Amino acid sequence: MKNYKIATIPGDGIGKEVIPEGIKILEAVAADSDFTFQFETFDWGCERYAETGKMMPEDGLEQIKHHDAIYLGAVGYPGVPDHISLWGLLIPIRRQFQQYVNVRPVKLFPGVPCPLANRKPEDIDFVVVRENNEGEYSEIGGRLHQGTEEEICVQESVFTRRGTDRILKYAFELSRSRAKHLTSATKSNGIVHTMPYWDERVVAMAQNYPDIKVDKFHIDILTAHFVLHPDWFDVVVGSNLFGDILSDLGPAVAGTIGIAPSSNINPERNFPSMFEPVHGSAPDIAGQGIANPIAAIWSAALLLEHLGEQSAHDRIMLAVAKVLEEGQALTADMGGSSAMKECTAAIEANIKANEIGI
Ligand SMILES: NC(=O)c1ccc[n+]([C@@H]2O[C@H](COP(=O)([O-])OP(=O)(O)OC[C@H]3O[C@@H](n4cnc5c(N)ncnc54)[C@H](O)[C@@H]3O)[C@@H](O)[C@H]2O)c1
């Protein structure tokens, strides 16, 4: 019997609510499989920051370095500036553990109301691949002459050849396993150094993948195409900032951010990878038991896929699709009136019914 050791970091707000729901589903599929889970929960987040001045302990990364995977809820809450919560917990994990690939699938499921007119599930099924370790999210910069009329603020972007090539390689490889069509997000008309460099590396990488159709759009028109022509896309690769923006827009066109999952992957498997919903801590609905648990549940399915448990992943996703299509247990963000736990219970019941062949 395989035993997977999972570090769970529920974090803040609805993160604390949806992670236990995802764990229920992981336990439900494990019950009928040849693996078990050992969950270790870490209370890192904004409450801890308020008490200790730190989002996580000094040796936090050391404590989770040897787990098989990390399962995270959301980080950030009013009262703690967002750049402190993000840079105190999430970004150190992504960077120190070389999770340089952020994969964010976008899919319109039958049964989920789509905000775009006349769009069907077959029109919206793509993956945003976001560079996760460098780019625009850099610590290089600073302020001069603070508080004076001459105040200056500078923020540097960092695009290394190693960092750019490895994310592009991942995206091209992913395209090969899907529709063989890759779209690059750029802005080489306005950003005159890093983005022409990004475009050059796309052209160079494309030489190795003559079977992949490649196109590129500037980020401004690309956001419009996401809304007007979501059927044009299959794999979309972007820098840290562009990928971040596109991966909130994508789920919005597919109905709700409440179902959007993500993987932060260290492809070399030198460190654990991390799985988390795209959404944040949603302070506006936290504590009410009405959050959509599906982003966390789909993220749990991606965790299983990463561990090599493909059939367990598929069982979860079949149950999610069934519950969405039936429409009896939808949370408010999907136009329903069910509570979070009712939605999870419907998915769990579906998994169990399939286990015993009902
Ligand atoms: N990866 C992360 O941990 C992460 C990601 C984004 C934002 N944040 C943090 O979360 C906090 C709130 O950020 P925000 O308001 O920009 O984004 P958010 O994703 O928390 O919320 C945006 C909107 O979507 C709704 N929403 C989000 N998840 C939902 C769900 N599962 N079910 C139903 N509705 C849902 C919220 O109610 C809100 O109206 C901030 O502190 C931010 O820094 C963290």
Side-chain angles (χ1 to χ4, degrees):
M1 194 67 119
K2 287 168 279 182
N3 181 252
Y4 295 121
K5 211 172 155 206
I6 311 295
T8 62
I9 309 171
D12 301 308
I14 63 166
K16 287 192 211 166
E17 298 172 55
V18 295
I19 289 302
E21 302 305 291
I23 290 175
K24 276 185 210 162
I25 298 300
L26 285 170
E27 298 280 25
V29 283
D32 188 34
S33 305
D34 62 349
F35 57 83
T36 55
F37 288 110
Q38 187 186 339
F39 294 104
E40 193 177 350
T41 302
F42 297 85
D43 68 344
W44 304 344
C46 288
E47 271 179 40
R48 187 188 178 96
Y49 180 86
E51 284 160 21
T52 66
K54 297 270 179 208
M55 293 291 290
M56 64 176 168
E58 291 293 341
D59 67 344
L61 298 179
E62 202 55 40
Q63 291 184 35
I64 58 174
K65 189 162 95 177
H66 298 295
H67 286 68
D68 293 302
I70 303 161
Y71 187 38
L72 183 133
V75 178
Y77 216 68
V80 179
D82 283 340
H83 67 277
I84 290 190
S85 50
L86 202 65
W87 284 86
L89 179 45
L90 202 53
I91 291 189
I93 296 175
R94 288 176 176 167
R95 295 202 174 184
Q96 298 286 326
F97 291 167
Q98 293 282 304
Q99 296 166 349
Y100 60 84
V101 181
N102 193 326
V103 181
R104 298 183 160 189
V106 175
K107 193 170 161 60
L108 176 61
F109 284 89
V112 176
C114 179
L116 308 181
N118 304 321
R119 287 297 179 188
K120 300 186 188 60
E122 57 270 27
D123 294 333
I124 307 181
D125 183 0
F126 59 89
V127 181
V128 176
V129 176
R130 166 189 175 191
E131 201 292 319
N132 214 25
N133 272 190
E134 52 175 49
E136 303 87 348
Y137 293 8
S138 103
E139 284 172 287
I140 303 174
R143 295 188 197 186
L144 276 178
H145 311 303
Q146 281 190 48
T148 72
E149 287 297 316
E150 283 72 40
E151 197 163 30
I152 302 170
C153 184
V154 176
Q155 169 90 46
E156 300 285 356
S157 289
V158 176
F159 286 72
T160 64
R161 181 179 285 217
R162 179 166 169 267
T164 308
D165 282 3
R166 66 188 181 180
I167 192 66
L168 293 175
K169 183 167 187 288
Y170 189 95
F172 272 96
E173 290 289 335
L174 182 63
S175 300
R176 231 176 216 169
S177 69
R178 292 179 50 103
K180 297 190 167 45
H181 175 205
L182 179 135
T183 301
S184 164
T186 185
K187 189 61 191 166
S188 44
N189 56 351
I191 301 176
V192 296
H193 297 299
T194 54
M195 281 296 130
Y197 180 70
W198 172 274
D199 291 353
E200 275 169 41
R201 299 315 304 161
V202 172
V203 170
M205 189 60 68
Q207 307 300 313
N208 304 327
Y209 297 89
D211 51 324
I212 310 287
K213 180 185 159 213
V214 182
D215 50 27
K216 68 171 180 184
F217 294 103
H218 294 306
I219 188 70
D220 36 359
I221 191 63
L222 183 55
T223 57
H225 290 328
F226 262 39
V227 174
L228 297 173
H229 310 287
D231 51 318
W232 284 3
F233 303 107
D234 187 63
V235 171
V236 183
V237 63
S239 63
N240 211 333
L241 175 63
F242 293 171
D244 197 6
I245 295 168
L246 292 174
S247 53
D248 270 30
L249 180 58
V253 301
T256 171
I257 197 174
I259 66 167
S262 79
S263 317
N264 301 271
I265 297 178
N266 168 241
E268 291 75 21
R269 295 178 187 256
N270 302 325
F271 298 100
S273 292
M274 177 163 68
F275 301 84
E276 53 164 336
V278 169
H279 65 71
S281 60
D284 53 336
I285 58 165
Q288 298 176 36
I290 58 168
N292 189 336
I294 293 179
I297 291 170
W298 190 353
S299 301
L302 294 178
L303 181 155
L304 281 166
E305 189 174 46
H306 181 76
L307 294 176
E309 304 296 349
Q310 187 66 45
S311 72
H313 160 276
D314 296 348
R315 284 167 61 204
I316 294 178
M317 293 315 297
L318 274 174
V320 166
K322 193 89 198 304
V323 166
L324 290 173
E325 190 163 16
E326 284 171 359
Q328 302 299 313
L330 303 186
T331 47
D333 59 310
M334 299 186 287
S337 57
S338 294
M340 173 184 69
K341 284 182 193 296
E342 290 167 337
C343 182
T344 312
I347 295 168
E348 196 178 356
N350 197 284
I351 289 169
K352 289 190 172 153
N354 286 331
E355 267 167 27
I356 53 173
I358 290 173

